[in-house]
Amino acid sequence: MARNGERREHRVRGVAARAGGWSARHRWAAVGIWVLFVVVAMGLGSVAGRVDVSEDDQLKGETSQAARIIDDAGVDEPAGETVLVQSRNGALRATAPQFRAAVADVVKAVEGTGEVTAVRSPYAADTRTISKDGRTALVQFDMRGDPDTAADRVEPVQKAVAGVAGDHDALRIEEIGAASMNKTFDDAFGDDFQKAEYSAVPVALGILLIAFGALVAALLPVALAVTAIMATMGLMGLVSHLQPMSETANSVMLLVGLAVGVDYCLFYLRREREERMKGRDPQTALRVAAATSGRAIIVSGVTVCVAMAGMLFTGLAEFQAMGLASLMVVAVAMVGSVTVLPALLSLLGERVEKGRIPFLHPTKRRGGNGNGNGNGNGKGDSGSRFWSRVLTVVLARPAVSVVVAVGALLAIAAPALGMKTQNLTLDQEFGDSLPIVATYDRVNAAFPGGSDPAEVVVKADDIDAADVRAALADFRAQAVSSGASRGPVEVTVHRDENVAIVDVPLVGGSDQDKAEKSLAMLRDEVRPGTLGTVDGVEAPVTGQVAGSKDFNDQIVGSVVPVFAFVVAFAFLLMLLSFRSLTVAITSIALNLLSVGAAYGILVAVFQHGWGASLVGAEGVGAIITWLPLFLFVILFGLSMDYHVFVVSRIKEARLQGRTNLDAIRHGVVTTAGVVTSAAVIMVAVFSIFGTLSMQSMKQMGVGLAAAILIDATLIRGVLLPAVMALLGERNWYLPKWLRRMPDLTHDEAGIEPAPVPREGGAEVRV
């Protein structure tokens, strides 16, 4: 009997089945190789160090050109800081003795810290930092040392300014600048991110304990996901020397790695347990899980990798880093799931059910005998009772179900038609949660654009040449006369490097739309008529507003190639994996509906403010620029997990001889538990990020959580079975001219026949 079973096992096609079989036979070797891989990857990554995305890598176009000129010239721009001195009730003017005394105290206090240089008083002859109404003045200075680490040294300066503010009650005295803002945000949100990341693992473990009802079974997915993340962190260090990485890529990698790592193990473990509960011995159960769930994991993993690779087509270094990091962690988790997991299950055998939790373990819930074999009648897991009742209604009226489900999804997606994207300003991103945001608004109100001026980086063969100096003076004058700026326009010349940097406060200030109009005027009208008339002069315009505009333009320009790449390759993978044109088309259509619904929820909550208070958010009037494309790629990949898993089970049941409706019912109901558990984990992990204070993180968390919830319920539980019921045998349609494609479907020859319940209680083998 064993010999026959062995022959059947060898006839099974597929990488997953062969990998699972090898790992089960060489279990200690498989575990050892995995541990060695993780340790070596981490070690090599630590030795190599990590290269992060630099400013000149962030964007293409003028922003990158400006950063390149500054880097090539070796110009170190210091971290500039500003102290706002403003009358609280409007009674004091900058000319008042009390006002002058406060400014003098600020200058003395910041100089006394020894951390600053180039302190500029608003009363100096060459400065114009007193507002037009005369009630606000700015004291400006630069931080000493490396501008990248200025935030680490700014605290003594902030304390000195706060001390002066305490001595002048009639005035607002507040500090703002790159260093002080970075420190404030790091203090407020740095720990916030870490807590979110660290809490994701225990949340996932808690849900797995409920799902499996056994400690060992719950720990396995978490252990594999964590080791996959550790290995990927090492690989990121190595790869970063070719493609720079970032902290954002690290966070996204952790999220995706935890989600897919846990999901893949969950799929494998639940199938192996299900087969054991049917009465099969552990070896046969493991072989069946490898041939079925293992194959689904590989199909899903490759699809997710392809989706993540879509980010590489954006041309944006941050997106490329996120895409590559996510791709690597999915690939590592996928390989681990079909290699080391079968080895661990082979080693553990029935001990995988150790640490059973009362009332949660399935043998207790079903009244079993507690031996791991369910109720001993060979029926195994009967599936979800809730989804069984839902399927009864859906399959009885599939046409009505399709109309209702599609109508609901289109209604949810409808607000997305009016989506507005932009990089969020400080007050949109943080609201009134931080005092420094109010300072930012006050500076912009008194000096429009003064907090984030446009920066024109001028490179010439001879920056002191008469025609270059004349063009600079002309540009400075026309920037104000054109209406793009109200001044002051400041020019800093670096003669040795033949570079000049022109700071131009833009009219519009923190109003992104108005500021972009001023930027366009500066780029398209003022620059060509002044600096553009001198041969050999480069003058790219950069800054916060310019960077936001360039980023938005590049994102919009990359939508079509990314969309086309992801959809085309996902379609091809579905076609090869299921050898069905119908399945490939419906897979794409259902995923697009899911993404559209997520967009609709985002726009409704964050752009229109509908129900924003329920998620602790504010209607900021826009969706952050990078999120729609990011969500499309992530969701298109992750939702394929469920789709591949459910459709694989339906096709398996159909190949075993079940009718179309019975196969759909069997596939959906028997996978409902694992899909629900996987979805709950994803929703919980993503919801953690929806609790952060930053609006962009809230938008990401809410968008991902809502989409996964819709996908695992309305899409997989209602729309998919209804569509497949209507299509009938056309589900597996493949034109003759496509039948020469490679056959990547798994072979049932190696799966030992299982009892299939028939009406009247009799059981037959298929």
Side-chain angles (χ1 to χ4, degrees):
M1 184 72 181
R3 194 175 295 113
N4 291 338
E6 195 173 317
R7 281 199 298 270
R8 281 195 299 268
E9 182 179 356
H10 285 306
R11 290 202 303 271
V12 177
R13 294 193 304 266
V15 174
R18 291 197 295 270
W22 185 91
S23 296
R25 293 191 301 272
H26 306 88
R27 45 201 187 186
W28 284 113
V31 173
I33 290 171
W34 177 257
V35 173
L36 182 64
F37 163 68
V38 174
V39 171
V40 169
M42 291 182 65
L44 291 176
S46 178
V47 171
R50 198 175 82 176
V51 178
D52 280 350
V53 175
S54 62
E55 186 177 349
D56 53 343
D57 289 330
Q58 290 279 4
L59 289 170
K60 308 298 180 186
E62 291 196 30
T63 305
S64 177
Q65 184 186 359
R68 177 183 53 77
I69 291 173
I70 291 173
D71 283 351
D72 291 346
V75 174
D76 290 327
E77 291 188 277
E81 288 288 298
T82 295
V83 176
L84 170 83
V85 183
Q86 186 179 63
S87 174
R88 286 187 181 275
N89 56 15
L92 282 177
R93 300 179 68 86
T95 53
Q98 187 178 345
F99 202 110
R100 285 180 173 272
V103 169
D105 287 348
V106 169
V107 171
K108 182 179 178 181
V110 298
E111 287 180 334
T113 63
E115 298 288 349
V116 307
T117 185
V119 181
R120 302 177 291 282
S121 167
Y123 302 115
D126 59 344
T127 60
R128 288 185 291 169
T129 53
I130 296 176
S131 64
K132 286 188 175 181
D133 64 6
R135 293 177 173 82
T136 304
L138 304 179
V139 177
Q140 297 176 316
F141 54 89
D142 298 328
M143 295 294 299
R144 292 185 184 274
D146 185 352
D148 293 335
T149 59
D152 300 332
R153 302 185 304 278
V154 77
E155 187 173 2
V157 184
Q158 289 177 310
K159 289 182 177 179
V161 171
V164 175
D167 297 333
H168 298 272
D169 294 337
L171 297 167
R172 287 192 186 93
I173 300 177
E174 302 165 341
E175 183 177 353
I176 191 170
S180 51
M181 285 194 290
N182 285 341
K183 184 178 188 310
T184 301
F185 298 152
D186 287 345
D187 290 347
F189 305 114
D191 292 340
D192 212 7
F193 276 111
Q194 286 188 351
K195 288 176 183 175
E197 291 174 355
Y198 292 153
S199 60
V201 172
V203 165
L205 179 59
I207 296 168
L208 286 169
L209 284 171
I210 297 172
F212 283 112
L215 180 61
V216 173
L219 283 172
L220 279 180
V222 174
L224 187 82
V226 169
T227 53
I229 290 169
M230 292 166 62
T232 306
M233 289 180 70
L235 295 177
M236 285 173 67
L238 296 174
V239 173
S240 69
H241 293 272
L242 299 174
Q243 167 61 56
M245 291 292 161
S246 68
E247 288 302 319
T248 305
N250 209 54
S251 296
V252 171
M253 182 276 293
L254 189 147
L255 270 178
V256 173
L258 186 63
V260 300
V262 168
D263 276 10
Y264 292 165
C265 286
L266 191 58
F267 295 162
Y268 212 109
L269 279 165
R270 284 293 285 262
R271 184 58 188 266
E272 190 268 350
R273 171 187 273 183
E274 180 185 333
E275 297 303 321
R276 281 191 291 110
M277 294 181 72
K278 289 177 180 177
R280 285 175 169 153
D281 62 272
Q283 290 76 23
T284 303
L286 187 57
R287 188 172 69 248
V288 174
T292 55
S293 291
R295 174 188 169 277
I297 287 168
I298 289 182
V299 173
S300 172
V302 172
T303 308
V304 176
C305 286
V306 167
M308 299 304 174
M311 292 195 203
L312 302 178
F313 289 83
T314 61
L316 297 165
E318 192 76 59
F319 263 63
Q320 290 172 330
M322 287 191 291
L324 194 54
S326 301
L327 186 156
M328 287 191 296
V329 78
V330 171
V332 171
M334 176 183 68
V335 171
S337 298
V338 298
T339 56
V340 72
L341 183 59
L344 290 171
L345 289 174
S346 180
L347 280 169
L348 290 169
E350 296 289 351
R351 287 172 294 181
V352 74
E353 306 292 348
K354 289 286 186 182
R356 297 182 185 186
I357 301 172
F359 308 110
L360 290 180
H361 195 272
T363 56
K364 299 297 181 184
R365 292 196 295 252
R366 294 175 177 81
N369 55 19
N371 63 4
N373 292 327
N375 53 19
N377 62 8
K379 293 180 182 180
D381 190 351
S382 60
S384 166
R385 293 178 182 175
F386 170 78
W387 285 110
S388 183
R389 289 194 290 269
V390 170
L391 259 292
T392 299
V393 176
V394 169
L395 296 181
R397 295 178 177 83
V400 174
S401 300
V402 168
V403 171
V404 171
V406 171
L409 288 168
L410 291 177
I412 295 171
L417 295 174
M419 181 186 290
K420 174 186 175 184
T421 62
Q422 69 177 55
N423 277 350
L424 303 183
T425 57
L426 277 179
D427 52 343
Q428 289 175 315
E429 183 73 271
F430 301 105
D432 56 1
S433 60
L434 296 176
I436 203 167
V437 176
T439 304
Y440 173 85
D441 290 337
R442 291 185 188 111
V443 172
N444 267 315
F447 305 90
S451 292
D452 290 305
E455 192 175 83
V456 186
V457 180
V458 182
K459 170 69 175 175
D461 294 331
D462 181 2
I463 202 71
D464 267 337
D467 55 348
V468 176
R469 283 190 283 110
L472 280 169
D474 200 15
F475 176 87
R476 187 177 184 181
Q478 288 193 33
V480 176
S481 64
S482 67
S485 174
R486 296 195 183 101
V489 178
E490 298 181 351
V491 181
T492 304
V493 178
H494 301 271
R495 288 182 173 81
D496 292 340
E497 293 82 10
N498 285 316
V499 169
I501 297 174
V502 187
D503 288 331
V504 186
L506 295 173
V507 169
S510 58
D511 187 322
Q512 191 78 15
D513 292 335
K514 291 181 180 178
E516 284 187 7
K517 290 179 181 178
S518 299
L519 174 70
M521 189 179 298
L522 204 65
R523 282 178 166 178
D524 302 335
E525 297 178 21
V526 177
R527 180 178 58 184
T530 55
L531 296 168
T533 62
V534 183
D535 291 338
V537 169
E538 295 180 72
V541 182
T542 185
Q544 190 273 330
V545 176
S548 175
K549 176 69 166 58
D550 293 347
F551 184 88
N552 199 27
D553 289 346
Q554 198 160 340
I555 282 286
V556 171
S558 64
V559 166
V560 172
V562 171
F563 181 89
F565 173 82
V566 172
V567 170
F569 272 82
F571 175 85
L572 182 61
L573 283 168
M574 291 297 102
L575 188 62
L576 289 171
S577 300
F578 292 101
R579 292 184 65 79
S580 166
L581 185 62
T582 308
V583 168
I585 292 172
T586 54
S587 299
I588 301 301
L590 294 181
N591 273 17
L592 291 177
L593 273 174
S594 179
V595 172
Y599 285 172
I601 291 172
L602 273 178
V603 172
V605 174
F606 294 98
Q607 188 170 315
H608 300 311
W610 303 340
S613 60
L614 298 177
V615 294
E618 298 179 10
V620 296
I623 306 303
I624 192 163
T625 303
W626 54 265
L627 191 57
L629 189 61
F630 174 82
L631 277 183
F632 169 73
V633 172
I634 295 289
L635 292 177
F636 209 88
L638 294 183
S639 61
M640 278 296 182
D641 279 357
Y642 310 137
H643 191 82
V644 169
F645 192 62
V646 176
V647 175
S648 293
R649 198 63 184 270
I650 292 171
K651 184 171 185 180
E652 180 188 330
R654 190 73 187 92
L655 291 173
Q656 289 176 340
R658 294 176 185 261
T659 64
N660 184 57
L661 291 182
D662 190 29
I664 294 170
R665 178 185 296 276
H666 174 80
V668 173
V669 171
T670 55
T671 58
V674 66
V675 168
T676 300
S677 299
V680 168
I681 290 170
M682 281 199 190
V683 169
V685 170
F686 293 143
S687 295
I688 291 171
F689 281 77
T691 64
L692 300 184
S693 303
M694 295 172 64
Q695 290 295 311
S696 57
M697 291 297 103
K698 280 186 180 294
Q699 290 184 8
M700 183 187 79
V702 170
L704 286 170
I708 295 297
L709 187 61
I710 289 171
D711 193 76
T713 53
L714 193 57
I715 297 284
R716 309 302 161 203
V718 177
L719 193 52
L720 173 64
V723 168
M724 293 190 78
L726 285 175
L727 291 170
E729 290 306 311
R730 288 169 292 184
N731 282 309
W732 316 113
Y733 168 71
L734 186 69
K736 290 182 179 179
W737 58 275
L738 286 175
R739 292 175 187 174
R740 293 183 179 180
M741 293 188 309
D743 188 354
L744 302 183
T745 58
H746 71 261
D747 183 7
E748 297 299 317
I751 301 178
E752 190 174 303
V756 177
R758 291 289 179 88
E759 293 182 7
E763 293 179 351
V764 297
R765 298 273 177 176
V766 297

